[in-house]
Amino acid sequence: MTTTRGSRLPASRRLARLPGLLLVLLLALLAAVTGCGKEGSPPVKGPQPEDLPVYQVATGFSLPASPTWERAKRRGRLVVGVKEDQPYLGEKDPAGGGYSGFDIEIARMMAASLGFDPKKIEFKTVASANRETALQNGQIDYYVGTYTINDNRKKQVGFAGPYYLAGQSLLVRRDETGINGPQDLAGKRVCSAAGSTPYQRLQREYPKAVLVAYDTYSVCVDNLLTYQVDAVSTDDSILLGYAAKVPEELKVVGKPFSEEPYGIGVPRRDNALRFALDDALAANEKNGNWKKAYEATLGLSGVPAPQPPAIDRYPAS
Ligand code: GLU
């Protein structure tokens, strides 16, 4: 590694060596680059705590048939796997460390129905490719993070729900005119998350696209903004959130070209937990919590609350 003498000085001493005017210029440049002090660009409105439902913690609830529930009870709190970089769905505040979004609200309403205080949930960020392993190894009790239910995954994990229906779509830069749907992807660099259903669909059905995989969609979006890739493809629910953050730079194009029913992932053989979560979802859809949570979170990206999809209470396996 080559290191110049100057760069080994502590930052404060390096700055002190700069002449005054140069320092002022440097700070002005920094403010321009980071947007600090810029007026007229209010931050995008995120979920407001006062708009969120308050979930009643079930008292006297017990689920002895579920080894996952029993373990959480002994531990005194639930450990829930989520995403941390998906606006309006599962997003971690870099300053406070708190999580927010529709998936987070689903996780909280489920916790309350299972008799746990939603405020005490330990959220763990788990990327798309690691979800099955995290559930199989007992690193998390359940998973709520844009997790499509399908037969292949059902061989490894169980799914309560679905609680939402998304569809695969495309995100491009606003100045892009050549990509209006998946039929236009031949020879284009398209980014998606490793282990995701959108990535697998592109590989299978659009083999002429040049695929780029990262662990997370936010890295794909960074690559799109810096012209490293031409499009990002995943669920419309996720892409609309990124577009809403920088509408002057990004747009979602075309119609959704798949069905992505979101489920709550549970350990495969824990049927008791899966059925309890199905019951909890049904109850929260009925009492208005589902709709209120949607409107305060995912609804902010511009799509009014749909009817939740029918819950698929498939037989014990
Ligand atoms: N719903 C899709 C999936 O489960 C894409 C979103 C994600 O990667 O979480 O693979």
Side-chain angles (χ1 to χ4, degrees):
M1 198 174 83
T2 54
T3 320
T4 61
R5 280 181 73 82
S7 68
R8 263 196 242 120
L9 284 172
S12 54
R13 285 196 51 204
R14 260 183 277 146
L15 279 181
R17 279 154 45 119
L18 283 172
L21 181 63
L22 195 61
L23 185 62
V24 169
L25 279 174
L26 197 72
L27 287 176
L29 186 72
L30 199 70
V33 168
T34 58
C36 287
K38 197 167 92 182
E39 276 174 45
S41 59
V44 174
K45 188 173 170 263
Q48 301 299 301
E50 65 273 16
D51 296 337
L52 295 168
V54 177
Y55 309 113
Q56 292 302 320
V57 180
T59 49
F61 181 90
S62 156
L63 199 60
S66 163
T68 313
W69 187 91
E70 285 286 335
R71 185 185 57 188
K73 202 74 202 163
R74 281 195 300 275
R75 192 197 292 126
R77 66 180 188 289
L78 283 164
V79 182
V80 180
V82 292
K83 296 287 184 68
E84 67 169 34
D85 63 338
Q86 299 185 170
Y88 308 133
L89 283 157
E91 205 174 17
K92 189 175 176 179
D93 173 9
Y99 286 79
S100 65
F102 186 55
D103 283 335
I104 304 301
E105 290 310 307
I106 295 288
R108 289 189 174 126
M109 64 179 82
M110 295 301 100
S113 296
L114 294 176
F116 288 89
D117 181 351
K119 288 189 213 74
K120 292 196 191 133
I121 295 176
E122 183 188 328
F123 287 111
K124 252 192 196 163
T125 301
V126 179
S128 297
N130 303 331
R131 294 181 282 211
E132 291 80 29
T133 324
L135 284 166
Q136 285 165 342
N137 294 352
Q139 289 155 350
I140 53 176
D141 298 325
Y142 55 87
Y143 187 92
V144 196
T146 61
Y147 197 10
T148 295
I149 304 172
N150 65 31
D151 288 345
N152 212 17
R153 288 176 177 165
K154 271 189 192 168
K155 290 179 195 147
Q156 302 179 68
V157 299
F159 286 105
Y163 62 90
Y164 184 76
L165 183 63
Q168 185 167 356
S169 198
L170 292 166
L171 181 75
V172 295
R173 288 179 300 271
R174 209 156 252 292
D175 59 9
E176 174 68 60
T177 52
I179 302 175
N180 296 299
Q183 71 282 356
D184 300 327
L185 295 178
K188 304 283 186 192
R189 289 171 64 81
V190 188
C191 192
S192 194
S196 71
T197 49
Y199 182 87
Q200 290 158 2
R201 185 167 296 100
L202 289 172
Q203 221 174 13
R204 213 175 43 236
E205 294 173 23
Y206 301 94
K208 291 198 179 124
V210 182
L211 293 188
V212 179
Y214 286 104
D215 284 347
T216 62
Y217 298 109
S218 55
V219 174
C220 283
V221 173
D222 288 345
N223 275 262
L224 179 64
L225 288 167
T226 53
Y227 290 75
Q228 313 293 307
V229 299
D230 305 304
V232 177
S233 187
T234 186
D235 305 338
D236 48 1
S237 49
I238 301 174
L239 298 178
L240 286 168
Y242 291 122
K245 294 254 162 171
V246 274
E248 65 287 357
E249 310 261 5
L250 300 174
K251 61 182 178 186
V252 177
V253 289
K255 289 197 178 68
F257 51 99
S258 76
E259 287 202 338
E260 308 289 332
Y262 288 172
I264 303 171
V266 297
R268 166 128 143 71
R269 279 179 225 293
D270 201 335
N271 294 298
L273 178 63
R274 175 159 66 83
F275 292 141
L277 291 173
D278 280 338
D279 292 345
L281 271 175
N284 280 280
E285 287 171 8
K286 204 160 164 220
N287 69 18
N289 279 342
W290 185 96
K291 186 161 187 265
K292 194 166 186 204
Y294 177 92
E295 281 167 350
T297 56
L298 198 48
L300 298 175
S301 60
V303 183
Q307 272 298 111
I311 293 168
D312 175 21
R313 201 184 164 91
Y314 61 92
S317 54

